[in-house]
Amino acid sequence: MGYFIPVEPDVKVYIEDINPRGCKTILFIHGWPANHTMFEYQFDQLPRMGYRCIGIDLRGFGNSDKPWSGYDYDRQADDIRCVVEALDLHDITLGGHSTGGAIAIRYMARHDEYGVAKLALFAAAAPSLIERPYFPHGLKRADVDKIIQDTNNDRPNMLEGFGNMFFFQHVTGPFSDWFFQLGLQAAGWATAAVANAWLEEELFTDLEKITVPTLILHGIHDRVCLFPLAIAQNQGIQNSKLVPFKYSGHGLFYDQRDKFNKELAQFIEE
């Protein structure tokens, strides 16, 4: 079932609610530059195990409205709060991939973990996607600048290159085409604005505010959010568990989809 939920005047985000009568709810926040359908191989399986799965298209992406502004982590965390309140969600597992993981962390800190019983981070872009003088583990700032420049000059070519570094396991040509199309559904200005947020946003103090049990899933071959980010998350979140994925890159939700689904379900049931 699909819904459009207002998050501010003239802006609505799209959500897909799968198995709404499920016993426990997982709210998925997708990564850049895709949308909720990147979790297809979770939505195919987890509802069969009794879970309610809700996928959000972040503003600017997928089927959601694509306003000119509002792509900082605070505003996007506020969008999630609107969804949680509109659907009257309680005791959920909030799961976020890459930038979606960073936004989930900001939500937990900014909204005092409202409605959330457990947090799951998948290759999260936290506490900082880029290198900083006090955090040497991220991407080079120049590499992100190039992503923004390429987005503004030839977004399809940028998306193809990004897709080529996303997965560690072999993916077929048709799968690559499908994943490429997810990125094309976004607005160009939203794609660039979120990438620019990587340069401005950091989540070191946000990590310290998280108190709920937290699962960290991260591929050791991740070339986007490097594995040391997962170690920093594990050290910064007091009640967290890190599960390395030995045969995964950034797209661990597909690279090792069976392990991914199993680890997430076990975590929810603990």
Side-chain angles (χ1 to χ4, degrees), residues 32-251:
W32 180 96
N35 54 62
H36 82 277
T37 55
M38 69 179 287
F39 293 113
E40 175 174 334
Y41 298 91
Q42 285 64 58
F43 297 156
D44 284 349
Q45 299 299 324
L46 292 170
R48 296 182 185 179
M49 302 163 66
Y51 297 109
R52 178 187 186 186
C53 293
I54 302 173
I56 298 178
D57 284 351
L58 295 171
R59 63 168 59 208
F61 297 83
N63 293 320
S64 289
D65 287 344
K66 298 172 174 62
W68 179 250
S69 61
Y71 298 101
D72 60 285
Y73 289 177
D74 283 355
R75 178 62 254 183
Q76 295 188 83
D78 294 349
D79 289 354
I80 295 172
R81 175 66 180 258
C82 292
V83 171
V84 172
E85 291 186 343
L87 297 180
D88 193 26
L89 301 178
H90 304 278
D91 299 321
I92 67 170
T93 297
L94 178 63
H97 175 264
S98 194
T99 301
I103 294 167
I105 291 170
R106 177 57 53 82
Y107 175 85
M108 298 296 282
R110 182 172 170 84
H111 292 282
D112 298 320
E113 305 178 332
Y114 180 85
V116 178
K118 294 185 177 183
L119 176 66
L121 303 174
F122 321 131
S128 173
L129 183 67
I130 65 166
E131 289 183 346
R132 301 183 187 275
Y134 45 87
F135 188 75
H137 306 301
L139 300 177
K140 302 288 186 184
R141 177 178 288 266
D143 291 337
V144 175
D145 286 335
K146 187 175 189 307
I147 288 174
I148 296 169
Q149 181 180 4
D150 291 348
T151 298
N152 291 325
N153 291 332
D154 187 344
R155 185 165 65 102
N157 189 60
M158 181 282 296
L159 290 172
E160 183 178 77
F162 188 72
N164 289 339
M165 63 184 292
F166 207 89
F167 300 97
F168 179 69
Q169 302 284 348
H170 171 74
V171 296
T172 64
F175 183 92
S176 293
D177 292 343
W178 170 78
F179 192 73
F180 173 72
Q181 292 297 325
L182 300 187
L184 281 182
Q185 291 176 37
W189 59 87
T191 305
V194 172
N196 189 69
W198 300 337
L199 301 175
E200 301 174 354
E201 303 272 10
E202 55 181 75
L203 298 125
F204 295 94
T205 57
D206 300 71
L207 296 179
E208 300 170 358
K209 298 177 182 178
I210 296 172
T211 64
V212 302
T214 301
L215 176 67
I216 302 166
L217 306 181
H218 212 109
I220 65 172
H221 303 284
D222 198 324
R223 297 162 60 192
V224 180
C225 295
L226 307 180
F227 189 74
L229 271 65
I231 297 173
Q233 294 161 28
N234 189 210
Q235 293 172 342
I237 300 173
Q238 56 184 314
N239 189 12
S240 63
K241 177 177 71 172
L242 169 59
V243 180
F245 275 50
K246 296 181 180 179
Y247 307 105
S248 289
H250 195 51

